Amino acid sequence: MTRTVLVTGSSRGIGRAVALALGEAGFDIVLHCRSRIEELHNVRDALLATGRNVRCLQFDIANRAETQSVLLDDVEKNGAYYGVVCNAGITRDNLFPAISGEDWDAVLHTNLDGFYNVLNPLVMP
């Protein structure tokens, strides 16, 4: 097993800070984003400048089949992760009576199902 850590939602904010801190601590990093690939590449470049090995994955953690496929493919090619930081999430802030069903579902599928969708294929095999 390598000392590689997957950090979901690592293109900005807390995920970016966690990825950079783990890189400084000596871990290689697998970065993840759903849609902000340019920002993810900026994080990648910062980590590469420190001498870390870095990979970038782009997928939607709310999509169970896509998440499983991308992660299992990465593990098959590169080996198991040493650790996983489940940071990815979304907000759809609104007063409860005003939140749409679609926004409610998007938050739940990303923030709750995403945890299962990321970890299940990694720990169950």
Side-chain angles (χ1 to χ4, degrees):
M1 182 182 310
T2 64
R3 287 182 41 93
T4 300
V5 177
L6 166 66
V7 181
T8 67
S10 48
S11 63
R12 61 192 183 111
I14 294 170
R16 178 184 186 280
V18 168
L20 293 173
L22 286 168
E24 288 178 21
F27 292 94
D28 292 330
I29 306 296
V30 177
L31 300 168
H32 159 265
C33 72
R34 178 177 52 94
S35 60
R36 297 176 182 268
I37 195 68
E38 295 83 17
E39 291 179 50
L40 194 73
H41 288 163
N42 291 336
V43 180
R44 176 200 61 198
D45 294 346
L47 286 163
L48 288 173
T50 68
R52 302 307 335 142
N53 291 317
V54 184
R55 295 191 304 279
C56 294
L57 301 177
Q58 185 176 14
F59 59 92
D60 182 356
I61 66 168
N63 182 321
R64 185 169 294 149
E66 178 186 23
T67 300
Q68 180 178 17
S69 175
V70 170
L71 291 177
L72 290 179
D73 183 58
D74 188 55
V75 168
E76 183 177 320
K77 290 178 182 171
N78 301 290
Y81 304 127
Y82 180 81
V84 178
V85 177
C86 291
N87 172 74
I90 63 170
T91 59
R92 298 290 189 265
D93 290 340
N94 211 335
L95 297 174
F96 183 74
I99 192 167
S100 70
E102 293 80 19
D103 283 347
W104 179 263
D105 290 343
V107 169
L108 290 180
H109 291 309
T110 300
N111 298 353
L112 296 179
D113 293 346
F115 177 85
Y116 174 88
N117 295 345
V118 168
L119 290 181
N120 184 261
L122 298 177
V123 299
M124 294 311 294

